[in-house]
Amino acid sequence: MRIATWNVNSLKQRMPRFLPWLDERRPDVVCLQETKLADDALAELLGDELADRGYEVAAHGEATWNGVAIVSRVGLEDVVRGIEGGPGFPHPEARAVSATCGGIRVVSVYVPNGRTPGSDHYEYKLAWLAALKAMVAAGPDDSIVAGDMNIAPTDDDVFDPEAYVGQTHVTAPEREALAELQAVGLRDVVREHWPDERVFSYWDYRAGMFHQDLGMRIDLILAGEPVAERVKAAWIDRQARKGKGPSDHAPVIVDLDEAPDGDIGPVVPPPSAPVTRRGAKKLPQTP
């Protein structure tokens, strides 16, 4: 069973790449984020193409912003949109959808960005993560939380910690909130399989960040113990970030029970051109 997560940064814009990727990688379940489509628009855009390939879709979207979905060809049961009791900003946003696929409870999440440490949106992010933790803690153990967490778990998950000083995604409260989510019984299966490697899932479009491999790992697949024990391969599909019209995120892929492309997947991190000196590169928006 192959499970993937991908922040597509507009499904409509990514259609020329998404369907060929689906045909090439043949995932059984895909968690999507930033679809930026209302549910009826997503069904109109993608419904027939998915049905022809044997997939069903559970979407929770809104026009222009946010939007999540689960695409599955191994069943799609007990669909829940949103997080019960979760906070809004000020109204609930389309940031989570859950379903049971092939016996696994799958949660596709697009965690709020947080914008600026200490801001109202930052506090919303922390409250949203607390609500997610409460939902996941209620079970079942056979579960996966996958998506754009908008948090790099440790300094090893960014190209240079000095470049992110004062930024969201790396602050102690965010990392603590993520650690508390994992503490309900979730394992970071990609990091388990690449404990000492430089491996990223997101690169800013600007300043040639991808080509220099100046990225961060913020797209995660967190698996409950029974699912984590089944993982045979866990990898970042860097190929999907290359070429014309990519998302700024790469898909993250986990193979359960067997590893059709080998135990490290077809695209091996690490990087093309790692930075070796701290402070050598800045984020594009930093003067």
Side-chain angles (χ1 to χ4, degrees):
M1 186 172 175
R2 171 167 285 181
I3 300 173
T5 185
W6 193 3
N7 179 325
V8 290
N9 191 7
S10 175
L11 190 53
K12 186 174 182 179
Q13 291 188 31
R14 229 53 65 200
M15 281 293 286
R17 298 184 63 112
F18 176 65
L19 291 174
W21 175 85
L22 204 63
D23 293 337
E24 179 182 11
R25 298 301 188 214
R26 297 183 59 79
D28 297 293
V29 179
V30 187
C31 296
L32 298 175
Q33 301 87 42
E34 270 201 282
T35 59
K36 298 183 180 180
L37 289 171
D39 294 353
D40 55 351
L42 187 147
E44 182 177 352
L45 176 71
L46 205 55
D48 291 344
E49 294 283 4
L50 291 176
D52 289 346
R53 292 166 168 81
Y55 289 100
E56 304 172 86
V57 61
H60 181 37
E62 53 189 278
T64 309
W65 307 106
N66 305 319
V68 287
I70 298 173
V71 176
S72 173
R73 61 177 183 182
V74 291
L76 200 59
E77 302 171 355
D78 302 321
V79 174
V80 175
R81 293 170 174 85
I83 300 174
E84 184 177 355
F89 193 75
H91 306 293
E93 299 177 308
R95 292 187 175 274
V97 62
S98 312
T100 300
C101 309
I104 297 172
R105 191 66 182 168
V106 176
V107 189
S108 176
V109 299
Y110 178 43
V111 175
N113 177 284
R115 298 179 185 169
T116 305
S119 67
D120 288 347
H121 202 264
Y122 182 87
E123 296 303 321
Y124 162 55
K125 179 179 191 173
L126 298 180
W128 195 93
L129 284 162
L132 174 64
K133 181 187 76 171
M135 184 185 78
V136 175
D141 293 338
D142 286 292
S143 64
I144 274 183
V145 179
D148 180 357
M149 304 294 175
N150 269 318
I151 301 170
T154 72
D155 282 353
D156 290 336
D157 297 298
V158 298
F159 74 87
D160 181 357
E162 288 189 16
Y164 291 89
V165 172
Q167 305 287 326
T168 55
H169 298 65
V170 299
T171 65
E174 292 168 284
R175 286 176 169 172
E176 288 166 7
L178 178 61
E180 289 174 6
L181 172 63
Q182 290 184 242
V184 305
L186 299 175
R187 290 163 51 181
D188 182 350
V189 293
V190 168
R191 182 51 77 196
E192 286 186 5
H193 279 250
W194 300 94
D196 303 311
E197 300 289 352
R198 174 188 169 97
V199 52
F200 304 136
S201 65
Y202 164 85
W203 301 260
D204 196 297
Y205 283 127
R206 297 167 292 178
M209 298 289 274
F210 177 69
H211 302 292
Q212 300 174 79
D213 201 45
L214 306 179
M216 59 196 314
R217 191 176 70 96
I218 56 176
D219 303 270
L220 309 181
I221 294 182
L222 306 177
E225 190 72 22
V227 181
E229 288 299 316
R230 295 170 57 189
V231 172
K232 299 301 181 187
W235 43 284
I236 311 288
D237 190 357
R238 284 175 57 93
Q239 287 295 121
R241 181 59 175 82
K242 298 179 179 180
K244 184 178 179 180
S247 170
D248 43 2
H249 297 251
V252 183
I253 297 177
V254 166
D255 288 316
L256 306 181
D257 305 324
E258 59 180 355
D261 292 299
D263 63 356
I264 56 175
V267 184
V268 182
S272 50
V275 171
T276 55
R277 183 168 60 85
R278 282 197 169 202
K281 297 287 185 178
K282 298 184 186 303
L283 300 183
Q285 67 269 28
T286 304

